[in-house]
Amino acid sequence: MKEKHWHDLVNHHPCFNVKCIRRSGRIHLPIAPSCNLQCAYCRRDFACVNESRPGVSNGVLTPEEAVAHLDRSLAELPHIKVVGIAGPGDAFAEPELTLKTFELIRQRHPELMLCLSSNGLNIEAYINDLEALAARFVTLTVNAIDPVVGQKIYEYVTWNGKRITGEKAAQVLIENQLAAIRLLKAKGFVVKINSVVIPGINDCHVPFLAKVLGGMKIDFLNLLPLIPVSGTKMETIRPPTAKAIKALKEQTSRYVTHMNHCVKCRSDAAGLLVV
């Protein structure tokens, strides 16, 4: 992909441009087996066929298997324009897997857009690598920018080989997330932020979060209502209503541009977005 043209391709990325969802498809390659933190709402599942939510897939592939799967998928779904890594764990818990996969794709399919999702804890050190691979579309999940709020969402963070809990864990995560956003934007990446809205936990914090992130010039904010998942600490929390999410978007639209067509893709999703 010619570097000078990559930014124009945002118009063909279905997650960033609702106008192209009928003509441009995406595929997620599930090559990230582990995660470096635990959210209180998340349960990763590597052998799941019945649920449609982030963090689940039918299996986990090696980089080589993922590229072979991509080749087969492109033969069946030629409208695929975007290749993403979005789990089922975190793309930078084992960064060598993500970078190897992208390197193989660049060799075989230089025309495809490369995209990834991460919690942002460990991505900053690899942004230059992503830039070299023209993997310019990055989504980070940021649920709080106040450690007092964050400690209610994150059970632990693994950082420098140690498991950290409580407010300190949230502070480490938030500091790394904000540093990554600053560097990504300084280097011209397209940055989308996913924020899970959790009633009674961070819903009142969202306007402040949006104001700060808007000031950092993020490209989109995607407010995701909590999905209560059995077996997690937040399984009994009632998700926010569509009306509540709409009100939050209206309240914060002065700060950010909202994504309004997210379908909460699985980590092995493929094809056109269905909205």
Side-chain angles (χ1 to χ4, degrees):
M1 180 184 300
K2 294 182 179 180
E3 184 69 9
K4 66 180 180 179
H5 294 310
W6 75 266
H7 205 285
D8 297 333
L9 295 177
V10 70
N11 292 323
H12 303 282
H13 192 311
C15 295
F16 292 88
N17 181 10
V18 69
K19 294 180 180 179
C20 74
I21 62 173
R22 303 292 181 188
R23 65 176 187 270
S24 296
R26 81 321 187 202
I27 185 169
H28 289 172
L29 301 177
I31 60 90
S34 61
C35 197
N36 43 20
L37 59 82
Q38 180 61 54
C39 297
Y41 56 77
C42 180
R43 191 194 76 226
R44 295 179 297 281
D45 195 331
F46 304 161
C48 180
V49 296
N50 298 318
E51 293 184 83
S52 182
R53 60 176 173 85
V56 301
S57 67
N58 287 338
V60 177
L61 305 175
T62 66
E64 292 78 11
E65 290 171 338
V67 175
H69 172 62
L70 172 62
D71 289 343
R72 293 190 296 270
S73 299
L74 287 170
E76 297 177 4
L77 304 168
H79 53 266
I80 288 175
K81 306 296 182 186
V82 181
V83 182
I85 294 174
D90 188 79
F92 287 90
E94 297 180 62
E96 65 280 359
L97 297 176
T98 293
L99 296 177
K100 178 63 174 178
T101 303
F102 280 165
E103 288 170 2
L104 292 173
I105 294 170
R106 270 286 163 257
Q107 292 169 13
R108 293 181 62 82
H109 302 287
E111 76 285 358
L112 294 175
M113 290 177 277
L114 300 183
C115 183
L116 66 92
S117 296
S118 172
N119 57 43
L121 177 65
N122 194 41
I123 191 176
E124 184 183 10
Y126 303 96
I127 291 174
N128 287 341
D129 297 293
L130 295 175
E131 184 179 29
L133 290 163
R136 289 292 202 157
F137 300 91
V138 175
T139 295
L140 300 183
T141 298
V142 180
N143 299 317
I145 53 173
D146 181 344
V148 175
V149 177
Q151 69 177 333
K152 302 174 185 178
I153 302 172
Y154 309 110
E155 296 180 25
Y156 65 81
V157 165
T158 303
W159 183 243
N160 291 332
K162 296 181 179 180
R163 181 172 290 191
I164 312 169
T165 60
E167 190 173 333
K168 182 178 180 181
Q171 182 174 353
V172 168
L173 174 61
I174 292 164
E175 288 176 353
N176 280 275
Q177 290 174 326
L178 296 181
I181 293 169
R182 292 188 190 98
L183 184 55
L184 286 164
K185 290 311 304 173
K187 286 181 170 290
F189 283 72
V190 178
V191 177
K192 175 166 66 72
I193 302 298
N194 285 347
S195 295
V196 178
V197 180
I198 310 167
I201 303 293
N202 73 341
D203 49 342
C204 293
H205 177 59
V206 166
F208 178 66
L209 180 149
K211 183 177 182 179
V212 171
L213 295 177
M216 299 175 74
K217 307 301 182 184
I218 65 166
D219 295 276
F220 300 94
L221 178 63
N222 182 25
L223 296 182
L224 296 166
L226 172 73
I227 301 174
V229 177
S230 176
T232 69
K233 290 188 175 180
M234 294 187 174
E235 64 179 341
T236 61
I237 295 180
R238 182 174 296 180
T241 64
K243 183 178 179 180
I245 294 293
K246 181 180 179 181
L248 279 174
K249 289 181 177 180
E250 290 175 349
Q251 186 178 355
T252 56
S253 60
R254 75 186 77 174
Y255 307 125
V256 293
T257 299
H258 286 282
M259 178 185 179
N260 295 308
H261 62 285
C262 179
V263 297
K264 307 177 187 67
C265 295
R266 289 168 54 104
S267 298
D268 55 5
L272 297 172
L273 293 184
V274 179
V275 295

